[in-house]
Amino acid sequence: MTDKALIVEGGAMRGIFAAGVLDAFLEQSHSPYHFVIGVSAGASNLLGYLGNAPGRSYKVIKELATSSQFYNPRRFVSGGHLVDVKWLYEESNKQFPLDKDTVFNSVPFIAAATNVSTGLPDYYEVTRHNIAKALEATASLPLAYKETPCFGGGCYTDGGVADSIPVREAYRRGARDITVILSHPLSYEMPKPKAGWLMKKMFVKHPNVGRALTKRAQNYNESLDFIRNPPLDCIIRVISPPEHFPVKRLTMKKELLDVGYDMGLDEGRKHVHHLKGEHVYQQEECPFC
């Protein structure tokens, strides 16, 4: 039997799209995967999916991530967090508690984070014992989050620095039928940084993180190339926002977040109906489905 994997990209507020896709999966009782991998906001979104909690990720993003307790430029100017990912995780659990048995009795849940010592991605299984630190680590944006989460012998920053779309890791782990939920339209390619030297200078204490940031676009686009040209023994299915997706990384307008969520619901439903033979994609709709 071919192992199936689900990959969920991060992207801060763009994660509202994946929240919609995953809620559509829950609505359709679609859970064929043998393991899942999430990065940053993608890992947070997977909690609601694995916990069979439709609407949870939508509420976390729309009600909590738009709060000044999470995103606060004034606090940042004063030396604090721009985004407080620890608060978001803890407050999410208070307001929208999950059944941990449901989460951890499903399939292996893997998160990606960037090791600050090596600048390379570490992929660790999220467990009952490390979940708080694991979710904090994968989403701890460099500079924007002032703490450096450490656990399991490593210290980490946001997983998107070293591997935003860990599709190659899923393949390395044996998956040959891989579904990827992106946070950008299919046409997107990450531009090269214009001031790589500045990134290195800003990360003097963690030079390998600075190097990873200068290579981030290259790694990201290589993942896209892997998706577009997978090995002959692998099928990769892509669910991505439409070209007119209105949500940006730091969009705080709730009406736009609603639009992004509804787009995710629509694309998630179409994906499941397509797999059931109830919907046929046109080539221009999804060339990688």
Side-chain angles (χ1 to χ4, degrees):
M1 182 174 63
T2 300
D3 271 5
K4 297 181 178 181
L6 173 65
I7 313 298
V8 185
E9 186 185 359
M13 303 304 277
R14 285 181 173 274
I16 197 72
F17 176 79
V21 173
L22 294 172
D23 277 353
F25 284 6
L26 291 175
E27 172 190 274
Q28 301 291 322
S29 300
H30 181 70
S31 54
Y33 308 107
H34 297 96
F35 64 91
V36 301
I37 308 180
V39 183
S40 195
S44 177
N45 276 328
L46 279 170
L47 273 183
Y49 176 63
L50 296 177
N52 193 26
R56 182 184 191 270
S57 296
Y58 167 76
K59 292 174 184 174
V60 168
I61 295 172
K62 185 177 177 182
E63 297 179 18
L64 299 182
T66 56
S67 165
S68 61
Q69 290 177 279
F70 173 64
Y71 173 68
N72 193 323
R74 289 185 179 180
R75 180 179 61 204
F76 183 63
V77 170
S78 301
H81 302 302
L82 178 63
V83 289
D84 191 340
V85 296
K86 184 177 182 181
W87 174 86
L88 185 65
Y89 172 77
E90 292 175 347
E91 194 64 23
S92 299
N93 284 339
K94 288 178 186 177
Q95 294 197 29
F96 316 113
L98 282 165
D99 182 342
K100 296 289 180 65
D101 288 336
T102 302
V103 173
F104 294 111
N105 288 339
S106 50
V107 296
F109 174 20
I110 299 156
T114 302
N115 190 303
V116 298
S117 296
T118 66
L120 299 174
D122 280 359
Y123 309 95
Y124 46 82
E125 185 166 354
V126 180
T127 69
R128 295 172 186 269
H129 304 293
N130 71 11
I131 184 171
K133 281 295 184 182
L135 270 292
E136 180 186 7
T138 187
S140 56
L141 288 167
L143 301 180
Y145 186 63
K146 300 298 184 180
E147 296 179 22
T148 304
C150 299
F151 70 98
C155 296
Y156 297 99
T157 190
D158 191 284
V161 171
D163 193 359
S164 295
I165 316 170
V167 62
R168 289 170 287 180
E169 176 65 14
Y171 183 83
R172 189 190 68 80
R173 289 173 179 256
R176 295 297 181 267
D177 187 332
I178 304 171
T179 299
V180 183
I181 303 176
L182 297 176
S183 59
H184 288 279
L186 274 174
S187 62
Y188 178 77
E189 286 203 3
M190 186 174 288
K192 295 180 180 180
K194 296 180 179 179
W197 62 271
L198 181 59
M199 291 186 186
K200 293 179 181 179
K201 188 173 182 179
M202 293 172 71
F203 290 92
V204 173
K205 292 183 179 179
H206 300 294
N208 285 327
V209 173
R211 292 190 188 96
L213 283 166
T214 64
K215 295 179 179 178
R216 183 171 180 243
Q218 177 185 334
N219 288 334
Y220 189 96
N221 294 332
E222 286 176 356
S223 292
L224 290 177
D225 186 62
F226 186 92
I227 289 170
R228 292 166 179 152
N229 302 282
L232 294 177
D233 63 344
C234 182
I235 296 172
I236 299 182
R237 311 171 196 275
V238 178
I239 307 172
S240 62
E243 293 294 330
H244 57 289
F245 185 61
V247 182
K248 308 301 180 186
R249 176 172 288 274
L250 294 176
T251 294
M252 295 292 157
K253 291 184 178 180
K254 295 184 178 182
E255 59 270 23
L256 291 182
L257 295 175
D258 280 340
V259 172
Y261 175 75
D262 288 341
M263 287 179 171
L265 276 176
D266 182 56
E267 293 298 328
R269 288 166 181 159
K270 285 197 296 188
H271 179 80
V272 177
H273 292 158
H274 172 73
L275 294 178
K276 292 179 178 179
E278 299 168 358
H279 174 83
V280 178
Y281 282 113
Q282 300 300 313
Q283 185 67 18
E284 63 272 13
E285 285 185 284
C286 186
F288 306 110
C289 296

